[in-house]
Amino acid sequence: MTLSTEKSTARPLSTNRIPQEAFDWYDEYAHGDIDRRTFLSRLGTLSVTGLTLSVVAGALTPNYALAEQVSFNDPDITATYVEYDAPHGHGKARGYLVIPKNVTPNNKAATVLVAHENRGLNPYIEDVARRLAKAGFIAFAPDALFPLGGYPGNDDEGRAMQKTLDGNKIEGDFMDAATLLKNHELSTGKVGMVGFCYGGYLTNALAAAMPDTIHAGAPFYGTPAKSNIDNIKAPLQLHFAELDKRVNDTWPEYEKVLKANKVDYTAYVYAKANHGFHNDSTARYDEKNAELAWDRTVAFFKKTLNA
C-alpha cells in the first residue's frame, strides 16, 4: 500500500481567490446537507474584493461546456445509448456505451463501468467514458435517473430526482450493468469500475457485492460499502482530496478492513484539492492533480485488466 500527498499548482486567478469556506459550503449543498437558499445566503456573507456573489456561485456551479476532452464525434470511438435489463434494479436501465473502433469479436477489450455522482449521467461523466474508450477500454456509464426520464440537463434538478430513488435499486442497476459488460460479445470478461463521489461509493459497493465480477476498482472520493466489505477481492486504487474531510474521515476504518483482508490497494491523497477535483466543469477542478489521478487510473486498469 502507498499513501502519498501530491503537491498542487494554484488554481486559476479567477478561482484561487475564492475562500475555502465557499468550497466547503458547496460540498454541503451538493450532497443535500443544506438547500440552495442557505448556500447562496452563506456565500453572501463573504467579503472578497472584486468577487461578487454571482461570480463565486457561477464559478462553483458546473459549466459542462468546459468538460469535453474527447468529442463524441471522435473517429477512434463509437458512442451510443443502450437500454438493458436490470432485474436487480428498476427492471429496465439505460447507459452510455463507448467502444473503441478497433475492437472486434476477434480483437476484444477489457471493460470499465463508470459511475456518476449524485445527479445522474451528466456530460462530464459521458466524457469520462469517452476518455476510457480512447485509452482502449469498452466503457459503459449507466444513468440512475433513467426510471425518471434520465438526466434532466441540470444538476440541481438531477440531484433532487436522484434523492427520490431507492438506493438499493440504483445499486442493482449498476450491478446488472457490470454483468452486461462481463458478458458483452466484445468483452474479454474483465470488468473494472471507476466512480466519482456517489459513484465512488458505488465502486466500493460493487467491489464488495460482486467480487467475482469486478476485477479492479478506482473510487474517487468515495465512501466505503455499507456491507460485505470482507468480500472484496479486487485490487483497488483509491483517490482522496486533502480538503475533503467528510469522505476522508471514513477512510481509516475502511483501510483497517482492507488490510485485515489482505486486499491489494493503493491510496493517494492530493494536496490542497477539494472533493470533486477531477470534475473539470467547476472551480473545484485541480488540473494537475486531476491529470495525475487520471493517468494513474488508466495505468491501473491497463495493468489489472489486460493481464
Side-chain angles (χ1 to χ4, degrees):
M1 187 282 291
T2 302
L3 180 63
S4 62
T5 302
E6 306 301 335
K7 291 185 178 180
S8 168
T9 56
R11 296 186 184 93
L13 181 63
S14 61
T15 59
N16 65 4
R17 293 163 55 200
I18 299 175
Q20 182 58 39
E21 296 99 316
F23 291 100
D24 295 339
W25 294 334
Y26 180 78
D27 188 62
E28 291 183 63
Y29 165 59
H31 293 91
D33 297 325
I34 60 175
D35 61 21
R36 182 172 180 82
R37 181 184 296 274
T38 301
F39 169 58
L40 294 176
S41 176
R42 288 183 182 180
L43 289 184
T45 67
L46 295 176
S47 177
V48 184
T49 304
L51 293 181
T52 65
L53 171 60
S54 62
V55 168
V56 176
L60 292 171
T61 302
N63 176 0
Y64 289 120
L66 304 175
E68 184 177 274
Q69 295 188 21
V70 178
S71 170
F72 63 89
N73 288 320
D74 190 290
D76 294 333
I77 61 175
T78 299
T80 56
Y81 294 96
V82 175
E83 290 189 20
Y84 63 99
D85 292 329
H88 296 95
H90 289 95
K92 283 287 185 181
R94 184 175 187 254
Y96 187 63
L97 180 68
V98 194
I99 300 176
K101 280 284 179 64
N102 66 346
V103 173
T104 68
N106 295 319
N107 183 39
K108 297 183 178 183
T111 66
V112 179
L113 182 63
V114 184
H116 59 67
E117 305 134 312
N118 65 337
R119 62 210 70 172
L121 180 60
N122 58 40
Y124 154 64
I125 297 297
E126 291 185 345
D127 193 65
V128 168
R130 293 193 294 270
R131 296 175 209 175
L132 285 163
K134 283 285 285 186
F137 301 100
I138 297 171
F140 189 50
D143 186 358
L145 301 184
F146 176 70
L148 302 177
Y151 177 69
N154 72 83
D155 280 17
D156 280 352
E157 189 177 347
R159 188 182 302 115
M161 290 167 65
Q162 192 160 318
K163 280 185 73 172
T164 69
L165 292 171
D166 183 333
N168 291 326
K169 288 188 176 182
I170 292 177
E171 291 181 31
D173 289 341
F174 277 81
M175 291 172 66
D176 290 323
T179 300
L180 179 154
L181 286 179
K182 182 177 181 179
N183 297 328
H184 194 282
E185 63 177 355
L186 300 179
S187 169
T188 61
K190 291 290 187 73
V191 182
M193 186 169 180
V194 62
F196 306 86
C197 185
Y198 175 75
Y201 158 75
L202 284 178
T203 302
N204 288 320
L206 264 66
M210 307 181 76
D212 296 322
T213 299
I214 301 299
H215 296 95
F220 277 66
Y221 26 86
T223 54
K226 296 174 183 176
S227 59
N228 300 315
I229 295 179
D230 288 334
N231 292 340
I232 295 176
K233 296 191 300 186
L236 299 177
Q237 186 182 86
L238 307 102
H239 302 275
F240 297 98
E242 182 185 28
L243 303 178
D244 187 8
K245 186 176 185 300
R246 178 182 60 85
V247 170
N248 295 351
D249 283 350
T250 69
W251 171 237
E253 289 301 316
Y254 189 20
E255 184 178 33
K256 287 180 183 178
V257 177
L258 296 179
K259 282 183 175 180
N261 289 294
K262 296 181 171 55
V263 175
D264 179 9
Y265 74 95
T266 305
Y268 296 104
V269 179
Y270 297 86
K272 299 182 180 179
N274 281 284
H275 183 95
F277 73 88
H278 184 266
N279 187 331
D280 50 359
S281 68
T282 80
R284 297 186 297 173
Y285 177 56
D286 184 320
E287 182 177 6
K288 181 180 178 181
N289 280 330
E291 291 184 354
L292 175 59
W294 188 247
D295 287 345
R296 285 171 166 163
T297 300
V298 171
F300 171 67
F301 285 143
K302 287 183 176 180
K303 177 182 178 181
T304 54
L305 302 178
N306 293 336

